[in-house]
Amino acid sequence: MLDQIPEKMQAVVCHGPEDYRLEEVAVPRPGPGEALVRVEAVGICASDLKCYHGAAKFWGDENRPAWAETMVIPGHEFVGKVVAVDEAATRRWDIAVGDRVVSEQIVPCWECRYCKRGEYHMCAPHDLYGFKRRTPGAMASYMVYPAAALVHRVSPDIPAHHAAFTEPLSCSLHAVERARITFEDVVVVAGCGPIGLGMVAGARAKNPMHVVALDMAPAKLDLAARCGADRVINIAEEDPGAIIRELTDGYGADVYLEATGHPSAVPQGLNLLRKLGRYVEYGVFGSDVSVDWSIISDDKELDVLGAHLGPYCWPAAIRMIESGVLPMDEICSHQLPLAEFQKGLDLVAKGTESVKVSLIPQ
């Protein structure tokens, strides 16, 4: 099978901050227990954009380690078809040549304290597709799934760029799981980008009393309603505090899911929550955030939780996408050829014209 694979391919290569180039590189060859995959689609994430601008530059902190190494192929939201796989990988992942497959963005070591406890998403020495040279990402025609990777099959009957949305949706569903949503809860989701829309859909699947979505873009609020929000609030035009108090007899929301990464969303959430409420943070911030910690402790005794990646949520995310319950054509708003990766990055940076931007290598 490998003798039918070309020797060269097109790939986006990181040479440093704001220096990504489309180059011809060697097609990777799989080692023992690995799979060679022809990439069908790869999404551009906000973290891809932060890496593009240079982590130290983005964070404003030269001491904070960069997220991406140079000379790495970016891209960690992807789907592809298996073109070469050995017997060991076939047994481990239950896949065969021709199968459409996704792989979780983290490649764990399976030996550290976290991996041995089943907390593989917090693996201490982990690799991540598209951030380290050992695990090149999917902004290329082909990629390799390492033997330590987690791999899932996806239906061939859905568009490739829909299937690539499995990664961000799994992250959203993990945040929802962290929130421990119950039937009586009023759940507020801040931000209606890809992660926030997935949170809305995941929260609705838990069947709480209300799912409320906050944003300033009418089109994204419309999408949130289609994803399951029964109340949408344009925070540029309405007071979310007054509306939430009215919905909850003055108590406040039970759950607040933060998906914007904007500093103002943090005190907003603390103030919208009732006493003993649950705050879940998924957003990644570009600057330090200061809040009145007395709200968390003395005033309300809140549970403040973080969420990272999408452990154990990939099968559910795949089923949700395959079911057709989500307006995937509107969520996956832009598909561009690999050669237009810069246009894709610029669309994500602008944020007003797109929801999920994907590159199509083939």
Side-chain angles (χ1 to χ4, degrees):
M1 287 177 283
L2 285 175
D3 58 0
Q4 301 174 13
I5 305 300
E7 294 185 0
K8 298 288 186 178
M9 67 177 183
Q10 294 287 300
V12 177
V13 180
C14 168
H15 286 264
E18 299 181 4
D19 186 8
Y20 282 24
R21 307 174 196 173
L22 185 68
E23 299 180 352
E24 187 174 73
V25 303
V27 173
R29 290 301 191 257
E34 299 182 335
L36 180 66
V37 173
R38 178 172 57 82
V39 180
E40 293 184 291
V42 51
I44 300 178
C45 175
S47 61
D48 292 317
L49 185 67
K50 290 161 188 170
C51 287
Y52 170 74
H53 287 300
K57 176 181 177 181
F58 175 79
W59 293 110
D61 182 357
E62 297 297 332
N63 295 317
R64 187 160 188 163
W67 284 13
E69 298 175 349
T70 57
M71 304 309 296
V72 71
I73 298 171
H76 63 279
E77 307 176 358
F78 51 80
V79 67
K81 286 191 175 179
V82 179
V83 295
V85 63
D86 67 10
E87 186 177 344
T90 296
R91 287 197 306 268
R92 184 189 318 110
W93 294 324
D94 189 24
I95 62 172
V97 169
D99 284 346
R100 172 180 275 177
V101 286
V102 293
S103 181
E104 299 194 25
Q105 67 276 65
I106 191 169
V107 182
C109 73
W110 301 113
E111 294 295 331
C112 73
R113 173 180 185 175
Y114 301 106
C115 286
K116 288 181 176 179
R117 292 180 173 184
E119 300 159 340
Y120 68 88
H121 63 300
M122 301 305 297
C123 172
H126 66 277
D127 285 324
L128 282 170
Y129 289 110
F131 296 98
K132 297 185 180 182
R133 298 187 195 101
R134 290 178 303 197
T135 45
M139 292 188 187
S141 300
Y142 294 89
M143 67 184 299
V144 165
Y145 290 179
L150 295 106
V151 177
H152 308 272
R153 282 182 291 170
V154 186
S155 169
D157 299 328
I158 60 176
H161 52 285
H162 293 188
F165 193 70
T166 302
E167 191 276 338
L169 183 56
S170 72
C171 295
S172 302
L173 297 185
H174 176 52
V176 168
E177 291 280 76
R178 292 280 282 160
R180 307 187 308 275
I181 293 169
T182 68
F183 295 133
E184 297 299 316
D185 283 344
V186 172
V187 180
V188 177
V189 177
C192 297
I195 296 295
L197 291 172
M199 289 175 173
V200 167
R204 173 46 59 205
K206 296 290 186 180
N207 202 27
M209 185 72 71
H210 293 289
V211 177
V212 183
L214 311 181
D215 206 289
M216 293 190 292
K220 290 182 178 179
L221 289 169
D222 288 344
L223 261 182
R226 296 183 62 190
C227 287
D230 55 86
R231 184 70 165 89
V232 298
I233 301 173
N234 187 327
I235 61 172
E237 300 174 354
E238 300 178 279
D239 177 7
I243 295 170
I244 297 301
R245 286 191 296 272
E246 183 179 350
L247 279 176
T248 60
D249 295 325
Y251 286 101
D254 302 278
V255 173
Y256 182 85
L257 299 163
E258 202 292 301
T260 71
H262 194 282
S264 65
V266 179
Q268 172 182 261
L270 299 180
N271 288 314
L272 289 178
L273 284 169
R274 63 165 173 84
K275 294 178 180 181
L276 302 175
R278 301 181 296 286
Y279 180 114
V280 180
E281 182 58 65
Y282 197 91
V284 178
F285 296 89
S287 60
D288 292 342
V289 180
S290 297
V291 298
D292 180 359
W293 277 75
S294 295
I295 299 173
I296 299 169
S297 57
D298 190 50
D299 290 357
K300 295 186 176 181
E301 195 178 325
L302 301 177
D303 286 345
V304 178
L305 304 165
H308 176 61
L309 304 185
Y312 303 106
C313 291
W314 283 66
I318 291 168
R319 290 195 300 271
M320 186 174 285
I321 293 170
E322 291 177 346
S323 73
V325 70
L326 297 177
M328 291 302 302
D329 286 333
E330 288 74 29
I331 293 173
C332 297
S333 58
H334 291 73
Q335 296 84 51
L336 303 171
L338 190 64
E340 295 184 22
F341 73 90
Q342 187 63 58
K343 180 180 178 181
L345 288 165
D346 293 343
L347 276 168
V348 175
K350 192 172 183 180
T352 56
E353 299 177 8
S354 64
V355 182
K356 173 52 65 179
V357 179
S358 302
L359 301 176
I360 310 298
Q362 301 301 321

